Structures are given as C-alpha cells and as structure tokens.
Amino acid sequence: MVTIWPQLSFSDATRRWLAEGLIHALPQLRMRELFRQRFDMFDQADLITVAVVGNTVAGALASRWDTLPDGTRFLHVTSQFVAERHRHGGIFRMSWRGHFTDLLSGDPGFPETIVLKTYNPVVYYAMRAFGLAPYVRMYPSVTAPQRPSPARLAAMIAAAISPEHEFHPGSGVIRGAGVPADLYPEQPACRDAQVNAYFARHARPGDRMLCLLQIPTRRGADTILRAFNVPCSSS
C-alpha cells in the first residue's frame, strides 16, 4: 500500500503515476476523460491509499472530511477503484484496512457517517454488507421506503457535495452528478438481483446513487474495523 497525503505533498509526477496507473488498470472505463474533468477527487482528498501489485497500480481509495452547516462531520469517499484483474481478490479489503489505519492514526475518531456517490451496484453491495451489521444503518434501502431521518441527512449532504444537481431523497439518486456521463460502457452488476434492479430502475447513465453508512456507536465502528482486521479502540 502507498499512502498519499495530498495536502502535504502531491507532486506532478505522483499525480501522473496514479492517473496512468488507473487508466491502465481499468481499460473498459473512460478513465482518461474522467481525470481530465475530475481529478479533484484526488487533489481535494485528505488521504489516498493506493494498492500496488508488483509495479502496477491495482486500486485506489480516496477520502476527505467534510462538515455540514449544522456542524455534522462526515467522511466523503471521493473515489474507490479496483483494477479489473483484481476484482475478486483482496485489493478492496486491503485498501480499506490501510485507509482506516492511516485515517485513525491521528486519532480524529471513527466517522459516524461515511458517504460516497456511485453508479456501480457492486460498490453499494459491498457497502451494504456493513449496513447489515448491528449498530450500523445504510441508506438508501433497496427493499423498503426510505426512512425520513436518513433521507433528510442525505438531502443535506447532497446539497453540500453536489449543490448544482437535483437530488431525489426517495431513491438516493443525484441526477447528472457523474462525469463523464458515459464513464461506464454499461451498468455493472453485483450478486444481488434486488440491488441490480434498484439501480436499473432509478439511475440513468450520468446519475449517481448517494450512499450513506451511519455508525453512531463505538460498537458499530468496532464491527467495521474488525471486518478489515484493523485494531479496535479499547475505549
């Protein structure tokens, strides 16, 4: 794992290495066009964890801390990529283990809310695995109407991170938030038919699903940390 703290040091050479590595790792996606328009997903991150296998980039995970006007703090996952050849390996888990380890090294506290935008049902499916754990809540639900409280929080977060785009709290969709709109040649599919059907029903190319994990208790945080084999707090 390679750790990058962009606000401390992020040279042009490192930026090119990361971009070219991900373009090579994900040839089916329009990654070069994505980075031409939205490299801020890395430039504005607080932390980037890059998975490297041999001499090649196998994945990248970036996040930053954001705060709502009412003081609510949340971790915004600005990008999450796994190379096509490593989709069924351990890169996803290793990336999150390294990311959480570095994120918590300065003792900022475990994020009570983790947020990401995606068009990929596989990402939602992986995230929902933690939403099914005790003391952890997931939005949006693909099997029931959205609960008012997380839907309101999602609306406030959408207004903060995608203020120029329309948000639908009943589905979790942010219209037109994806750049480029045709990043994916087709919508990916996960192992859960209900998740795939939900994305197909609500999200068009160029849309993004706003996904929230709410982890309000120490027990919930420890559940997630144990899943990634990250040492839990003794408090």
Side-chain angles (χ1 to χ4, degrees), residues 126-235:
M127 193 176 184
R128 191 185 63 169
F130 302 103
L132 297 176
Y135 315 108
V136 181
R137 298 190 294 269
M138 176 74 182
Y139 167 93
S141 169
V142 301
T143 58
Q146 310 310 326
R147 291 178 297 174
S149 178
R152 284 194 299 269
L153 176 61
M156 290 189 292
I157 290 175
I161 65 176
S162 293
E164 69 277 23
H165 298 289
E166 180 184 7
F167 176 65
H168 294 255
S171 65
V173 166
I174 305 177
R175 292 290 179 212
V179 177
D182 57 349
L183 173 65
Y184 294 87
E186 60 183 15
Q187 193 169 67
C190 70
R191 299 176 183 177
D192 189 314
Q194 284 185 308
V195 174
N196 295 332
Y198 188 88
F199 272 70
R201 184 165 65 251
H202 293 289
R204 305 188 295 260
D207 294 341
R208 292 295 180 265
M209 192 75 67
L210 181 65
C211 303
L212 273 67
L213 271 184
Q214 293 181 281
I215 314 106
T217 68
R218 184 68 244 178
R219 289 181 178 181
D222 287 348
T223 297
I224 293 177
L225 292 175
R226 280 194 297 269
F228 291 110
N229 198 29
V230 178
C232 299
S233 168
S234 59
S235 60

Side-chain angles (χ1 to χ4, degrees), residues 1-7 9-10 14-15 17-19 22 39-51 57 59-64 78-81 95 98-100 102-103:
M1 292 293 151
V2 174
T3 299
I4 302 170
W5 302 94
Q7 307 310 314
S9 178
F10 201 17
T14 301
R15 295 168 85 257
W17 167 76
L18 178 58
L22 288 171
F39 204 77
D40 61 297
M41 68 178 67
F42 294 125
D43 285 332
Q44 296 179 11
D46 292 325
L47 172 64
I48 305 171
T49 303
V50 186
V57 173
L61 175 62
S63 72
R64 71 169 183 254
T78 57
S79 65
Q80 181 177 351
F81 299 110
S95 297
H99 202 75
F100 276 133
D102 287 333
L103 186 73

